[in-house]
Amino acid sequence: MNKILITGGAGFIGSHLCERLLNEGNEVICLDNYFTGSKRNVVHLLDHPFFEIVRHDVTMPYFVEVDQIYNLACPASPIHYQYNPIKTVKTSVLGAVNMLGLAKRIRARILQASTSEVYGDPEIHPQPESYWGHVNPIGQRSCYDEGKRCAETLFLNYHQQNDVRIKIIRIFNTYGPHMHPQDGRVVSNFIMQTLRNENITIYGDGNQTRSFQYVDDLLEGMTRMMNSREEFTGPVNIGNPGEFTIKELAEKIIDLTGSKSKLEFLPLPQDDPTQRKPDITLAKKELDNWEPKIQLQEGLKKTIHYFDDLLKNNLVGSYGRK
Ligand code: NAD
Ligand code: UDP
C-alpha cells in the first residue's frame, strides 16, 4: 500500500485517479481548492477508510508524508485558465515549486500533469516529445502554456540539481464523466448543446483537428508512468492518436444523441492550434506497450450518459467556478 497525494484531486481527471488508486489498495489524500473541481466528483469516496480530502491552494506550501505525488492542480479549460491568468501562472509555477520542495524533503516520487499545449500551434505533425513547440508567449493561451512549460523546466531542474524523483507526462485532449459541464471545452460544450437541442458552436471553419483520449486510457498511462523505471523521467506523450476535425466531432455527437441541434459557426479564438496529434512511440516503448484502447464512439457514449444524468437530476449548477 502506497500513501499518495493527488493535487487537483476533486477535478475531472483527479477524481478518477483518486478512485482508481483507492481501488488498487492505496491510501489517497485529495488536495483541492475547488476552483474548477467539485466535491461532487469525490463524494462517493468519502466513506472510504483510506481516503482523505484537504481544502488547500497549491500556491501555498503544504506538508505531508507520502510515497507518491500526482501534481494535477491547475484549471485546464481555456475559459477557466483565462479567467484569472496571473493565478493560472502562479498555480503552475508556485504549485510546482511547493510540490517539488515537498517531494525533495520526503523523497517521494512526483508526477507532473503537463500538456500537449507545450507544443502550442505545432509545425510538426504528429508531435514527438523532441519537438520544442511553437508557443506565443504573450497571447491569450500563454498563461497556461508558458506556466506548464516553466513547470516542466522546474521538474527537470529539481531532478538534476537535487535528485528529486520526477515523472512528466504530456496529456493530450482528454474527456469523460466528471468533466465540468460549463468549462467550455469542446466535448462538454457539444454534448450539453446537443442534449438541450441548442446550436452547436463551432469556432472557425471546424477543420482544425484534435485527438481525443478517454479518461480511463489516460489513467492507465499515467499510473504506468508513475511506476516506471526510476531513470525514465519523461516527458512522455499520453494521448490517443485518433485524429478528428471539430466538425466531425460535432456530427458524431449529433448522431449519438439523436439531437435536432444545428451547426453555428463563430470566430476562432486567438492562437487556437490548427492540428494536434500525439506521437506515442515513446510511451509504447517505455510503458509496457501502453496504448489507448477506447474508441471515440464508445467513450462519447459513456460521457453523454453522464451529462444526461446531470441534466435530468438538475445538478449542472453544482459545478461552480469560484
Ligand atoms: P480540472 O479543472 O477538472 O481539474 C483541475 C483541478 O485543480 C480542479 O479540481 C481545481 O479545483 C484544482 N485547482 C486549480 N487550481 C488550484 C490551486 N491553486 N490549488 C489547488 N487546486 C487547484 O481539469 P482536468 O482536466 O482534470 O485537468 C487536470 C490536470 O491535467 C491539469 O493540470 C491540466 O492542466 C492537465 N491536463 C488536462 C488535459 C485534459 O484534456 N483534460 C489535457 C492536458 C493536461
Ligand atoms: N471549440 C469549438 N467549439 C466549442 C469549444 C471549442 O469549436 O464550443 C474548438 C476550439 O476552438 C478548439 C477545439 O474545439 O479548436 C478544442 O477546444 P478545447 O477548448 O476543448 O481544447 P484545446 O483548444 O485546449 O485543445
Side-chain angles (χ1 to χ4, degrees), residues 8 10-14 31-38 56-59 71-76 87 91 113-116 144 148 171-174 185:
F12 155 49
I13 296 170
L31 179 154
D32 209 293
N33 72 348
Y34 306 114
F35 175 59
T36 52
S38 168
H56 183 80
D57 192 308
V58 288
T59 59
N71 188 37
L72 272 59
C74 185
K87 180 67 195 256
T91 295
S114 190
T115 169
S116 53
Y144 183 72
K148 288 283 187 180
I171 305 172
F172 283 64
N173 296 63
T174 301
R185 282 189 267 192

Side-chain angles (χ1 to χ4, degrees), residues 78 81 117 141 173 184-187 189-190 193 201-203 208 210 246 268-269 272-273 276:
Y81 69 64
E117 284 287 317
R141 299 174 84 99
N173 296 63
R185 282 189 267 192
V186 69
V187 174
N189 260 13
F190 286 4
Q193 288 162 347
T201 52
I202 299 213
Y203 305 155
Q208 70 271 39
R210 292 293 186 274
I246 295 306
L268 190 67
D272 199 289
R276 198 184 277 154

Side-chain angles (χ1 to χ4, degrees), residues 270-285:
Q270 186 199 26
D271 297 332
D272 199 289
T274 46
Q275 54 182 1
R276 198 184 277 154
K277 171 179 169 157
D279 178 335
I280 58 165
T281 313
L282 183 63
K284 274 190 187 163
K285 176 171 168 273

